[in-house]
């Protein structure tokens, strides 16, 4: 298959999968319009605030799985060989993740609205560079427990990705697959997307009006 055509098909297919809004689906199953409650954001955190812990956690896991499943398949040799392409698996995976993140953030099914992309990014990057994501999750947990702000923890998670990726690349902390320019670029792109999607949260943080979680247990990142 032509390489450009393959990447285009992967991007479009992943965009459509990413456009499936689990927050909207789960909220509707509970008789709730997620756009009319809480922050109005169709993500795991708003579902958890408006409906409850279990529905919120379900949305988080489904969004994470969405990112993981579209990004992991290129690394299976048999499936990669079926395409008849010599494009590196990581390039196909990155293309799929980019499509899924755009779909999640700007879903064609809900008027190009969407969540903030953290859970979907986590899932996709687990498939591409798991050690970097693990460090990012550690950062998320530390920031969340220190501040009780989900948004701040999510931004810190995103900011840690290019930094950790650079360390893996330059210091060779892991197998060769985990360090390189491609991984660094996708980490930077994910960071910028999540930063842009959290603009309103950043403004509220600076104004001191951002909502804190008062739960005793940590909440999942915004998706």
């Amino acid at each position: 298959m032509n390489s450009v055509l393959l990447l285009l098909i992967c991007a479009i297919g992943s965009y459509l999968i990413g456009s499936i809004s689990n927050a909207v689906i789960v909220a509707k199953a509970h008789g709730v319009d997620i756009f009319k409650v809480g922050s109005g954001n169709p993500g795991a955190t708003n579902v958890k605030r408006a409906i409850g812990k279990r529905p919120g956690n379900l949305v988080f896991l489904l969004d994470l799985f969405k990112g993981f499943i579209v990004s992991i398949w290129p690394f299976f040799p048999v499936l990669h060989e079926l395409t008849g392409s010599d494009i590196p698996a990581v390039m196909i995976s990155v293309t799929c993740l980019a499509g899924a993140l755009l779909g999640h953030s700007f879903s064609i099914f809900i008027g190009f609205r969407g969540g903030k992309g953290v859970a979907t990014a986590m899932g996709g990057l687990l498939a591409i560079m798991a050690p970097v994501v693990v460090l990012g999750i550690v950062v998320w947990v530390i920031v969340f427990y220190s501040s009780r702000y989900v948004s701040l923890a999510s931004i810190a998670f995103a900011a840690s990705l290019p930094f950790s990726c650079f360390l893996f690349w330059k210091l060779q902390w892991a197998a060769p697959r985990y360090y390189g320019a491609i991984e660094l670029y996708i980490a930077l792109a994910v960071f910028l997307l999540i930063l842009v999607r959290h603009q309103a949260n950043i403004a509220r943080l600076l104004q001191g009006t951002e909502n804190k979680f008062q739960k005793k247990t940590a909440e999942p990142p915004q998706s």
Side-chain angles (χ1 to χ4, degrees):
M1 182 183 294
N2 179 274
S3 296
V4 175
L5 178 60
L6 173 62
L7 291 177
L8 182 61
I9 291 173
C10 289
I12 294 174
S14 298
Y15 172 81
L16 293 175
I17 293 173
S19 289
I20 299 172
S21 179
N22 295 304
V24 170
I25 294 171
V26 171
K28 280 187 176 180
H30 287 79
V32 175
D33 183 346
I34 196 62
F35 295 108
K36 295 181 179 180
V37 296
S39 66
N41 178 62
T45 298
N46 197 34
V47 170
K48 195 161 192 177
R49 282 195 177 110
I51 304 175
K53 180 177 180 179
R54 288 186 179 180
N57 286 343
L58 176 61
V59 171
F60 171 71
L61 291 174
L62 289 173
D63 285 344
L64 186 145
F65 180 73
K66 183 169 64 175
F68 181 80
I69 198 65
V70 301
S71 303
I72 193 64
W73 74 266
F75 295 110
F76 290 94
V78 173
L79 293 177
H80 189 59
E81 289 170 6
L82 288 175
T83 64
S85 172
D86 58 356
I87 303 176
V90 68
M91 283 296 296
I92 300 176
S93 184
V94 165
T95 300
C96 290
L97 176 56
L101 284 172
L102 287 175
H104 180 82
S105 300
F106 309 101
S107 171
I108 193 173
F109 302 130
I110 52 175
F112 297 100
R113 296 173 292 179
K116 297 181 178 178
V118 178
T120 301
M122 278 187 180
L125 293 178
L126 277 173
I128 300 171
M129 42 185 168
V132 170
V133 178
V134 170
L135 287 179
I137 291 173
V138 171
V139 169
W140 187 94
V141 170
I142 292 172
V143 174
F144 175 78
Y145 275 108
S146 300
S147 69
R148 309 302 293 184
Y149 288 116
V150 176
S151 56
L152 183 60
S154 297
I155 294 168
F157 162 79
S160 76
L161 297 176
F163 179 73
S164 298
C165 194
F166 181 79
L167 292 180
F168 275 101
W169 179 16
K170 292 301 182 181
L171 302 182
Q172 300 184 11
W173 284 357
R177 177 162 105 72
Y178 292 112
Y179 52 88
I182 293 175
E183 287 83 357
L184 180 59
Y185 294 153
I186 187 60
L188 283 168
V190 168
F191 164 59
L192 291 174
L193 176 62
I194 291 175
L195 192 66
V196 169
R197 296 294 292 163
H198 281 81
Q199 281 185 339
N201 302 87
I202 293 171
R204 289 194 295 269
L205 285 167
L206 293 175
Q207 295 166 4
T209 58
E210 179 74 330
N211 291 326
K212 285 187 177 183
F213 259 107
Q214 302 302 325
K215 302 278 187 179
K216 292 182 180 181
T217 56
E219 307 295 331
Q222 295 178 354
S223 63

